[in-house]
Amino acid sequence: MPYEAPTHTVERSLRATTGAKVIAGVDEVGRGAWAGPVTVCAAITGLRRPPAGLTDSKLLTPKRRDALIGVLEDWVTAYALGHSSPEEIDELGMTAALRLAAVRALEALPVRPDAVILDGKHDYLGAPWQVRTVIKGDQSCVAVAAASVIAKVRRDRMMAEIGEQGGGIEDFAFSANAGYPSPVHRSALEEQGPTEYHRLSWSYLDALPRWSHLKKVRRSEESLELENGGQLGFDF
């Protein structure tokens, strides 16, 4: 299916209107998974011509993503990954976990970005970062598209490695589903219950009576604020 190649239009606009020189594209993967971390990639690309075929990772076949990442990781000026664990997702909720992973990625870059292009319409990052949200930025912005592919491939590989550990983990077929819902994944959950890699606050446990007692109820925003002395530190 044909698609339009991403451009540097947003990057050029940020440079012209804000004076930003170093701009990072940010994208996430793993938000809807039942198991594994949520992973965020921050990528700096400059204004160079992108590799042929670069676009949103969801529009690419696994084979094409695997071929492209080898080129991308050498082509980008810099990139870094940040993760939030299943435990952090259960404790904080997805919005705060995304912010935590994004900050980890951005702070791991060798240079601090002057501005960030964030895929989607919701700014889950917030101050002190200067953020421009772009709906379908992973299709239209070069830096976000690069972050999209790197995040997807690296998290898929991480989940495949987890799935090869043995001891029953292989039954969840993480190498095929990357922790997302699938018939094989559900069947293994029904038989074995959730592993240490599963998110225990997710609603899939409601449909598994044998294991539903393991479901965690995330503490409210108010209780977290009280625990932190009135300073949440996260953008819920």
Side-chain angles (χ1 to χ4, degrees):
M1 183 177 180
Y3 53 83
E4 291 188 15
T7 69
H8 293 296
T9 299
V10 178
E11 289 96 324
R12 293 184 190 279
S13 172
L14 279 168
R15 285 172 177 246
T17 59
T18 70
K21 294 181 179 179
V22 179
I23 300 170
V26 169
D27 200 14
E28 55 78 22
V29 64
R31 188 191 302 234
W34 288 352
V38 63
T39 296
V40 173
C41 179
I44 300 171
T45 65
L47 299 177
R48 291 171 297 145
R49 182 188 299 272
L54 177 63
T55 188
D56 173 15
S57 64
K58 296 185 292 296
L59 300 178
L60 300 171
T61 64
K63 183 177 180 180
R64 180 58 187 149
R65 287 196 298 264
D66 285 340
L68 189 57
I69 193 172
V71 177
L72 270 179
E73 290 183 330
D74 289 333
W75 174 80
V76 296
T77 303
Y79 79 89
L81 294 163
H83 311 278
S84 282
S85 68
E87 294 82 4
E88 290 170 327
I89 294 169
D90 288 336
E91 177 73 10
L92 302 171
M94 182 52 72
T95 299
L98 276 171
R99 182 177 192 272
L100 187 61
V103 169
R104 286 169 173 165
L106 288 164
E107 291 184 342
L109 290 169
V111 59
R112 184 181 177 90
D114 301 315
V116 174
I117 304 172
L118 194 61
D119 182 49
K121 64 180 180 180
H122 175 57
D123 177 10
Y124 58 77
L125 191 55
W129 305 93
Q130 179 170 264
V131 176
R132 173 79 62 86
T133 58
V134 179
I135 296 173
K136 293 188 177 180
D138 46 12
Q139 296 180 36
S140 61
C141 302
V142 170
V144 180
S148 168
V149 173
I150 294 172
K152 173 64 175 169
V153 174
R154 293 290 294 272
R155 185 183 181 278
D156 281 0
R157 290 177 180 176
M158 180 193 309
M159 294 303 297
E161 290 176 5
I162 290 172
E164 293 170 358
Q165 291 180 357
I169 293 290
E170 68 277 7
D171 295 337
F172 291 86
F174 288 155
S175 61
N177 60 50
Y180 284 86
S182 74
V184 173
H185 191 168
R186 179 179 291 276
S187 177
L189 274 168
E190 291 175 347
E191 180 65 27
Q192 300 183 35
T195 69
E196 63 183 292
Y197 303 103
H198 281 86
R199 303 169 187 181
L200 298 182
S201 59
W202 250 226
S203 61
Y204 70 84
L205 279 171
D206 295 335
L208 301 172
R210 183 179 175 188
W211 309 106
S212 59
H213 65 285
L214 297 175
K215 186 175 180 180
K216 291 183 178 180
V217 178
R218 190 169 64 250
R219 283 178 294 165
S220 68
E221 180 177 342
E222 289 77 13
S223 66
L224 284 169
E225 185 172 5
L226 287 171
E227 184 176 298
N228 286 278
Q231 297 295 324
L232 274 172
F234 294 100
D235 177 23
F236 281 83

